[in-house]
Amino acid sequence: MVMIVETCNLRRVIRVDSSSKETDENLLIARARDDSAAFVRLYRNHYDAVFRYCVHRLFERHIAEDVTSEVFLKVVEKIHSFKGDEMQFRCWLYRIATNAVNNHLRRTSRRNRILKLAHEQAGSQVAECEESAEKLTVLKEAVFSLRPRYQTIITLRFFENLKLTEIAEVLGSSPGTVRSQLTRALAKLRKVLDTEFTEKSEVN
Amino acid sequence: MNNNEKQFEDFVSDMKFDDAPDSEHRDKLEQRLICAMAKRPRPIKIWRIIMKSNVSKLAAAIIIIGIVLSFHVFEKLSSPAWAIEQTIEALKDLRAVYMNGIFPGGTAEIWMRANKIGTQSGDVVVRGSHGAVTWIKDGSTYHYESGQNTVYFENAITVGFSQWLGPELLEMLSKVAGAEIMRGKDPATGRQRATLMCSLLDSNGPQSWIIEFDVETKLPVSFKHWSNLDMSGPPAFYAFKIIYYQELADSLFEVSIPGNPVYVEKPLTIPDQNIGILSNPQKGMSAYGLSRQQACEQILRALYNAVIEGDLDKLKNLAPLSENWGDDFLRDVILRTGKPDRIVEVVKIGQISKTGRSKIGPIVAVPVVFKREDGSMVEQNMVIQIRQLGGKSSCVVHGPYGLPREIE
């Protein structure tokens, strides 16, 4: 809620922001099933995390925004059936986002296209500087060479800083399985990254 | 953490992603979600059956007031939330307001200006997301439905606020019987908030409001309004954004309708929920041997005399909807004891201007002109229910038809 009080020449502007984070997230989640206002607050609390996860998975801002929209529209559709606490809600969101990202990749064959174009798009839309852009290109190629499940695990673990138990919750798996899949994913990544860096240093 | 893990973490640790969310996208998506929430199928409630058309839905949504989000940790107040005398002087001059909100079926933007003396709303324009527009012009209310290419109108001001959204609003509504005020702190801004919750049955039917006020400025910052007494189901209107202005441009209140729409006058009706109270044979006044016009004149004169004399029992008998509002509220809102806008004289009771029908008989609207203590003259249309109970003819006052109008 923004209340702006204007007097002559905007001498006095008062901002009263009620769009705050719910002090009791669990209560907010419960109310969001029927209450649009509560839902909006819940959305505001989680938008950034979902968007960042989508960027880290897709490496393109605009696509990430589209997928973020899909995620929250799905949440509107499904929230009445969600039963759980704050932590479960967070995992549930990541699960929806993961499915949306994977669907997107499948639907548009982005994975193949991105792999193909990766070299041409050295200046990635999500890199902040040239050096980072180069590393990002390498990372993008490496990550997209993995199976979607491994991509998810890598992103959740290293970019979203989720614990193994939380990743397991998102994927509906056990922490032990996630641990072994993480190890395998990292081994594959190392292989790809080593090759990439070796090739690049030889070129240089 | 094993070696591979450590190495990968080091590799990505200094990687700079441009992953800062874009507030524009966030806001646009928020609007889409609000619409999506509003369109979700929900269990059918009584009010949804009553409010079948967009006309009545939107009109009802904006008739009065709404609610507040009680997400703060509230504690009940044992003393008033504030004293009106402490109101910041500058804020008394805020005569215009913009609101953005949700009603079942869509969203609406509302522009509103106070009347000349700042006591109630004057100009109003409501634009619904589905293309409907509602506005006030020359004392009449118009509602355009784009899908039907039809303008529904009535010669009364039936949208707006009977009490302007200023500091007095909380004072007034806090006197409704059973009203509760709670105080809390907005965790984001640290600002003190007062939340008012109240319900009553008035001439628009059952109403509930939760209004959130900023304690420093004494102004409502959000509200929800339900067309029931228990605040069940989604609100009929939820204003989640309120911006106050000293003035708004005239052009904002000018509405032009494309093409040649059909103009249809809205019939005079009263809510079915009010019929029970109006059917009580102990209430009202006999109309035996009187014409409809004579009966209306008699009951309205008796009603206004009760207001002038401060006779609450008589007032509640002749206009029984007021019975459960609470005496403090009646004194504050109807009697206006000690206030310059207190009614002191009935100047004229006009001819029946409009007729309709409820489940128990004919209803009529009659204009009453009265004088206030400050010398101003006001016209107020009143609705009278004519009934035949136990073979006897009688009448009872339902309540006002639209907002009062100052006249020269």
Side-chain angles (χ1 to χ4, degrees):
Chain A
M1 162 67 57
V2 176
M3 181 184 70
I4 300 173
V5 179
E6 287 192 2
T7 58
C8 286
N9 304 320
L10 285 174
R11 273 178 303 161
R12 183 184 179 86
V13 176
I14 300 171
R15 214 161 230 286
V16 186
D17 198 345
S18 65
S19 57
S20 58
K21 284 208 167 191
E22 175 65 88
T23 50
D24 186 344
E25 184 90 354
N26 290 333
L27 181 62
L28 190 62
I29 291 164
R31 284 173 44 201
R33 291 182 192 118
D34 300 310
D35 183 341
S36 302
F39 183 85
V40 165
R41 287 176 191 218
L42 198 62
Y43 159 74
R44 288 179 190 167
N45 289 353
H46 292 278
Y47 173 88
D48 290 5
V50 171
F51 172 73
R52 286 201 168 98
Y53 172 67
C54 292
V55 170
H56 297 153
R57 283 291 313 272
L58 294 160
F59 294 87
E60 283 191 34
R61 287 187 62 91
H62 295 306
I63 298 173
E65 285 178 348
D66 290 346
V67 174
T68 302
S69 302
E70 276 181 41
V71 171
F72 281 103
L73 286 166
K74 181 64 86 177
V75 172
V76 169
E77 194 185 310
K78 299 287 180 191
I79 194 166
H80 66 276
S81 61
F82 173 79
K83 288 182 177 62
D85 60 16
E86 181 185 352
M87 193 202 133
Q88 288 165 321
F89 180 76
R90 189 164 161 248
C91 292
W92 184 64
L93 269 184
Y94 277 121
R95 198 179 310 147
I96 293 174
T98 298
N99 290 338
V101 167
N102 292 342
N103 285 342
H104 177 82
L105 292 172
R106 222 176 358 254
R107 205 167 52 226
T108 60
S109 303
R110 279 214 69 75
R111 191 173 164 220
N112 293 336
R113 193 162 76 82
I114 288 170
L115 274 171
K116 193 178 168 188
L117 297 179
H119 284 290
E120 298 161 25
Q121 294 179 340
S124 165
Q125 290 176 41
V126 293
E128 284 192 336
C129 63
E130 203 176 319
E131 188 191 355
S132 215
E134 194 180 327
K135 282 181 81 174
L136 211 57
T137 307
V138 173
L139 176 70
K140 194 195 294 181
E141 285 182 52
V143 170
F144 276 113
S145 72
L146 300 175
R147 289 160 52 185
R149 189 178 181 85
Y150 289 1
Q151 292 177 31
T152 306
I153 292 172
I154 291 292
T155 309
L156 290 176
R157 174 69 189 86
F158 293 101
F159 293 98
E160 315 312 318
N161 298 317
L162 261 61
K163 296 173 189 164
L164 287 180
T165 49
E166 291 172 319
I167 299 173
E169 172 88 21
V170 172
L171 295 174
S173 186
S174 73
T177 306
V178 172
R179 157 60 67 194
S180 60
Q181 288 175 334
L182 176 63
T183 306
R184 281 201 289 277
L186 283 168
K188 281 178 189 288
L189 271 180
R190 181 175 184 151
K191 210 171 173 180
V192 178
L193 289 172
D194 282 351
T195 312
E196 284 289 330
F197 278 114
T198 308
E199 281 174 8
K200 281 188 189 298
S201 49
E202 278 171 3
V203 170
N204 292 334
Chain B
M1 188 178 285
N2 65 30
N3 196 35
N4 271 353
E5 230 173 304
K6 181 77 178 69
Q7 279 187 348
F8 187 72
E9 195 169 78
D10 289 344
F11 177 72
V12 299
S13 63
D14 60 342
M15 198 166 274
K16 298 280 189 295
F17 268 97
D18 175 18
D19 59 0
D22 175 16
S23 59
E24 193 181 333
H25 176 260
R26 184 170 46 207
D27 292 348
K28 278 184 183 166
L29 178 56
E30 184 176 308
Q31 292 300 315
R32 278 183 72 190
L33 295 174
I34 288 167
C35 290
M37 283 290 281
K39 285 176 186 167
R40 282 189 322 170
R42 294 191 180 93
I44 295 172
K45 305 274 185 187
I46 291 170
W47 63 264
R48 296 199 78 189
I49 296 168
I50 296 164
M51 304 290 176
K52 275 186 280 195
S53 75
N54 281 333
V55 184
S56 51
K57 269 195 293 190
L58 188 57
I62 56 179
I63 273 177
I64 313 188
I65 309 198
I67 191 170
V68 169
L69 295 170
S70 53
F71 69 100
H72 320 304
V73 180
F74 287 117
E75 55 186 55
K76 276 195 182 184
L77 289 180
S78 52
S79 56
W82 58 65
I84 280 295
E85 303 79 56
Q86 294 168 1
T87 302
I88 300 168
E89 282 299 316
L91 301 180
K92 288 181 176 173
D93 295 328
L94 299 172
R95 301 171 50 81
V97 69
Y98 163 81
M99 285 185 270
N100 193 354
I102 311 163
F103 70 96
T107 59
E109 289 188 303
I110 303 172
W111 287 266
M112 207 180 278
R113 288 198 287 210
N115 63 354
K116 283 179 188 169
I117 53 172
T119 53
Q120 65 184 44
S121 60
D123 296 314
V124 180
V125 172
V126 183
R127 294 183 187 273
S129 55
H130 56 298
V133 187
T134 303
W135 71 102
I136 305 289
K137 190 175 183 186
D138 300 331
S140 295
T141 305
Y142 299 84
H143 178 85
Y144 171 64
E145 279 291 330
S146 54
Q148 304 166 17
N149 195 30
T150 302
V151 174
Y152 297 89
F153 69 95
E154 52 191 331
N155 296 320
I157 301 172
T158 52
V159 294
F161 292 89
S162 56
Q163 172 66 50
W164 183 241
L165 288 173
E168 293 83 6
L169 186 66
L170 176 69
E171 287 280 300
M172 187 191 90
L173 288 176
S174 64
K175 289 172 181 164
V176 173
E180 285 186 43
I181 302 176
M182 289 171 282
R183 175 171 273 178
K185 200 174 187 178
D186 186 321
T189 62
R191 295 178 72 89
Q192 287 292 329
R193 296 294 174 78
T195 296
L196 176 130
M197 288 188 264
C198 64
S199 300
L200 56 79
L201 191 69
D202 72 5
S203 53
N204 296 307
Q207 314 284 327
S208 297
W209 303 284
I210 300 180
I211 310 173
E212 187 176 33
F213 292 84
D214 178 63
V215 171
E216 187 197 349
T217 61
K218 325 288 193 278
L219 295 172
V221 294
S222 72
F223 66 78
K224 285 184 183 173
H225 166 231
W226 285 265
S227 300
N228 58 47
L229 295 177
D230 58 2
M231 300 177 188
S232 59
F237 189 64
Y238 167 36
F240 56 81
K241 184 177 187 180
I242 304 179
I243 301 174
Y244 294 89
Y245 297 91
Q246 279 197 321
E247 193 50 272
L248 284 172
D250 289 344
S251 57
L252 277 172
F253 298 94
E254 289 162 7
V255 177
S256 63
I257 299 301
N260 295 304
V262 178
Y263 281 75
V264 176
E265 184 170 5
K266 279 183 75 178
L268 184 66
T269 58
I270 60 176
D272 286 349
Q273 297 98 320
N274 293 356
I275 296 298
I277 289 177
L278 297 180
S279 305
N280 185 345
Q282 307 302 317
K283 305 292 181 185
M285 181 182 268
S286 170
Y288 179 73
L290 301 176
S291 68
R292 205 171 275 181
Q293 176 68 31
Q294 287 171 327
C296 290
E297 284 181 20
Q298 277 201 10
I299 195 167
L300 285 173
R301 198 164 291 283
L303 180 82
Y304 278 92
N305 282 339
V307 171
I308 292 164
E309 292 161 10
D311 188 342
L312 287 184
D313 288 339
K314 198 167 185 182
L315 171 68
K316 287 189 263 188
N317 182 273
L318 298 173
L321 284 180
S322 63
E323 200 169 33
N324 297 313
W325 295 357
D327 288 358
D328 283 346
F329 182 72
L330 288 174
R331 283 189 197 97
D332 201 53
V333 176
I334 310 287
L335 302 189
R336 306 288 290 165
T337 312
K339 304 273 173 62
D341 55 354
R342 185 176 74 89
I343 298 170
V344 292
E345 183 189 343
V346 176
V347 177
K348 182 185 171 188
I349 295 175
Q351 296 292 311
I352 292 171
S353 59
K354 193 169 181 177
T355 60
R357 194 161 191 90
S358 80
K359 285 183 176 175
I360 54 170
I363 50 175
V364 297
V366 178
V368 179
V369 177
F370 54 81
K371 192 176 174 184
R372 287 174 171 156
E373 190 155 284
D374 59 8
S376 60
M377 303 277 270
V378 175
E379 183 184 75
Q380 170 75 72
N381 274 288
M382 298 295 287
V383 176
I384 317 293
Q385 171 76 63
I386 314 289
R387 49 195 197 167
Q388 289 285 335
L389 299 172
K392 293 178 182 171
S393 177
S394 61
C395 58
V396 66
V397 177
H398 175 249
Y401 175 44
L403 299 180
R405 284 188 290 182
E406 289 227 359
I407 54 174
E408 299 300 322

